[in-house]
């Protein structure tokens, strides 16, 4: 996720890129990310790209896939009892062993708090095991045509077998934006549910009119990763920046 001290230079560049494309002025736009893409969400047409096919670590934007698979195979109001095995390093929604939460609450913790613990709990809840859930993630990636992607876990922690590309993540974002429940969650700034109040780490929701989400990411090895979607004047765009 984005550190609290993140100066928003990457987000600012993405804002500029989105704004220029939405108004038809993209010629002079450049971003600092080593890999990036801007795609028309409805047609799939690539409007801008920079090394968009390079395989890279993706950090917590992985959780878009986690949410897509969970919403396809799980039931929002089904409850899950948290276990000690659900705890994970890094960003957290601060699950406690023994508490009972619905899949909906876990998904808000996944998408707003970027909870690595939420990702493990979702995987156990929906897939029966992390391994079984990850298998479904990779099956979904193949179905979406994400030919240069491999998922090893549901939260995006660094692994040599866990990678994707800006192009593939744009394909995933297009699919994700077709799910109204996921869009509702990812675009929520603050929610109180399951005894928790959670605030979305995606600062673009507050900085850009028309921003619909989706997900921020960060690890030391992956650097900053970001998948964003925006809509203005009937045009919907998805932008991905990696490192």
């Amino acid at each position: 996720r984005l550190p609290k001290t993140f100066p928003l230079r990457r987000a600012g560049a993405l804002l500029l890129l989105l704004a220029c494309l939405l108004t038809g002025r993209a010629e002079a736009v450049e971003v600092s990310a080593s890999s990036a893409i801007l795609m028309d969400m409805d047609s799939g047409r690539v409007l801008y790209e920079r090394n968009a096919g390079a395989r890279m670590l993706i950090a917590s934007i992985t959780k878009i896939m986690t949410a897509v698979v969970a919403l396809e195979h799980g039931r929002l109001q089904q409850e899950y009892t948290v276990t000690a095995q659900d705890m994970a390093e890094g960003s957290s929604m601060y699950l406690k062993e023994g508490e009972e939460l619905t899949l909906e609450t876990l998904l808000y913790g996944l998408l707003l708090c970027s909870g690595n613990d939420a990702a493990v709990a979702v995987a156990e809840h929906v897939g029966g095991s992390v391994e079984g859930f990850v298998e479904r993630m990779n099956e979904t990636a193949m179905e979406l045509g994400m030919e240069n992607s491999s998922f090893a876990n549901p939260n995006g922690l660094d692994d040599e077998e866990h990678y994707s590309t800006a192009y593939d993540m744009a394909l995933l974002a297009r699919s994700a934006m077709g799910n109204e429940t996921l869009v509702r969650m990812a675009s929520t700034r603050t929610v109180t549910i399951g005894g928790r109040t959670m605030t979305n780490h995606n600062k673009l929701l507050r900085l850009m009119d028309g921003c619909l989400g989706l997900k921020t990411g960060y690890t030391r090895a992956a650097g900053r990763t970001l998948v964003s979607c925006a809509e203005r004047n009937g045009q919907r765009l998805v932008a991905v920046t990696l490192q």
Side-chain angles (χ1 to χ4, degrees), residues 6 16 27 31 58 63 71 81 117 122 147 175 191 198 222:
F6 181 57
L16 177 61
E27 296 82 359
V31 297
I58 55 174
K63 290 163 183 163
L71 288 168
T81 302
D117 52 353
V122 166
E147 298 179 355
S175 176
V191 67
M198 294 177 275

Side-chain angles (χ1 to χ4, degrees), residues 23 25 43 50 106 108 124 130 132 135 159 169 181 183 185 214 230 238-239:
T23 55
R25 301 189 304 273
S43 69
R50 179 179 181 182
L106 291 172
Y108 272 115
E124 292 282 356
V130 170
E135 186 174 340
D159 187 298
M169 291 306 297
T181 301
V183 173
M185 291 180 172
L214 275 172
V238 53

Side-chain angles (χ1 to χ4, degrees), residues 63-85:
K63 290 163 183 163
I64 301 171
M65 177 64 85
T66 304
V68 166
V69 173
L71 288 168
E72 180 179 354
H73 297 282
R75 292 186 289 115
L76 286 179
Q77 297 310 313
Q78 186 173 9
E79 291 194 338
Y80 174 74
T81 302
V82 177
T83 71
Q85 285 67 45

Side-chain angles (χ1 to χ4, degrees), residues 13-204:
L14 186 61
L15 266 171
L16 177 61
L17 186 60
L18 284 167
C20 287
L21 265 294
L22 285 167
T23 55
R25 301 189 304 273
E27 296 82 359
V29 176
E30 188 59 82
V31 297
S32 61
S34 58
S35 178
I37 193 169
L38 188 72
M39 181 182 287
D40 183 272
M41 199 182 308
D42 297 313
S43 69
R45 184 164 63 98
V46 175
L47 305 173
Y48 171 91
E49 68 91 24
R50 179 179 181 182
N51 300 324
R55 291 183 177 182
M56 303 181 69
L57 297 172
I58 55 174
S60 283
I61 60 175
T62 295
K63 290 163 183 163
I64 301 171
M65 177 64 85
T66 304
V68 166
V69 173
L71 288 168
E72 180 179 354
H73 297 282
R75 292 186 289 115
L76 286 179
Q77 297 310 313
Q78 186 173 9
E79 291 194 338
Y80 174 74
T81 302
V82 177
T83 71
Q85 285 67 45
D86 297 325
M87 307 310 157
E89 62 180 295
S91 55
S92 177
M93 71 174 291
Y94 303 105
L95 294 176
K96 297 178 181 178
E97 183 179 357
E99 67 177 325
E100 295 184 356
L101 298 173
T102 64
L103 176 59
E104 183 177 22
T105 300
L106 291 172
L107 287 174
Y108 272 115
L110 179 84
L111 294 170
L112 274 64
C113 303
S114 198
N116 291 336
D117 52 353
V120 176
V122 166
E124 292 282 356
H125 183 30
V126 176
S129 68
V130 170
E131 293 76 16
F133 189 85
V134 169
E135 186 174 340
R136 288 181 175 178
M137 294 173 72
N138 284 305
E139 290 171 354
T140 301
M142 291 299 294
E143 291 169 1
L144 293 176
M146 298 172 66
E147 298 179 355
N148 289 294
S149 298
S150 173
F151 294 92
N153 58 63
N155 46 37
L157 291 177
D158 299 326
D159 187 298
E160 63 180 11
E161 296 300 320
H162 193 98
Y163 56 82
S164 189
T165 68
Y167 178 78
D168 279 5
M169 291 306 297
L171 294 181
L172 175 60
R174 288 186 68 204
S175 176
M177 293 304 291
N179 188 304
E180 293 182 0
T181 301
L182 197 155
V183 173
R184 168 173 58 82
M185 291 180 172
S187 62
T188 297
R189 296 184 184 184
T190 302
V191 67
T192 298
I193 186 173
R196 286 174 164 81
T197 297
M198 294 177 275
T199 300
N200 203 319
H201 292 155
N202 189 350
K203 297 179 181 179
L204 282 179

